[in-house]
Amino acid sequence: MLEAILLIRRGTAGEPPRHEAFTLAFEPGESVLDGLRRLREGADPSLAFRYACLNANACKECMMLLDGRVIYACTARLEPRRMQLDPLPNKPLLRDLATAIAPPDERLPSD
């Protein structure tokens, strides 16, 4: 089995950015999203990221940065190396890798 080291941006808006390292065993062909889901299920249930998977590569909810490049976590593949994951820089950060998707004028009121 191969191993990836995922350096995942943690925290909320207003906090200094920090990265937490997770070592993840994987089979060739597994996606970054597969790895994140396994990490949340087995290692850290507080890990925040978005995905919908209604139609491959159409929902855009799992977009994030991988080593500084915008990717879909559902189509990017895990590799046996250090892989840095960060939230999209042009969207408001909610927590960890999760950003606000809808513009403020399209969101439901929160009260």
Side-chain angles (χ1 to χ4, degrees), residues 6-10 16-22 84-87:
L6 300 183
L7 300 170
I8 300 174
R9 192 329 184 144
R10 301 302 303 263
R18 63 182 170 83
H19 286 83
E20 191 171 338
F22 294 90
Q84 183 169 317
L85 299 172
D86 291 286

Side-chain angles (χ1 to χ4, degrees), residues 16-111:
R18 63 182 170 83
H19 286 83
E20 191 171 338
F22 294 90
T23 300
L24 181 67
F26 69 94
E27 295 288 336
E30 282 189 72
S31 71
V32 170
L33 181 59
D34 293 333
L36 289 171
R37 292 176 64 194
R38 276 197 293 119
L39 283 176
R40 185 165 62 188
E41 187 175 301
D44 188 346
S46 72
L47 179 60
F49 55 93
R50 288 185 177 277
Y51 71 98
C53 299
L54 298 174
N55 187 359
N57 207 14
C59 67
K60 298 182 174 72
E61 291 220 8
C62 69
M63 289 176 72
M64 61 185 65
L65 297 181
L66 169 60
D67 298 330
R69 293 183 33 231
V70 176
I71 55 109
Y72 292 105
C74 64
T75 59
R77 298 293 169 224
L78 290 169
E79 299 175 15
R81 63 179 181 87
R82 291 171 64 98
M83 303 174 78
Q84 183 169 317
L85 299 172
D86 291 286
L88 291 174
N90 59 341
K91 300 283 185 183
L93 178 65
L94 301 174
R95 191 176 89 235
D96 301 337
L97 300 173
T99 56
I101 300 296
D105 59 340
E106 293 179 12
R107 292 186 206 141
L108 294 173
S110 59
D111 34 65

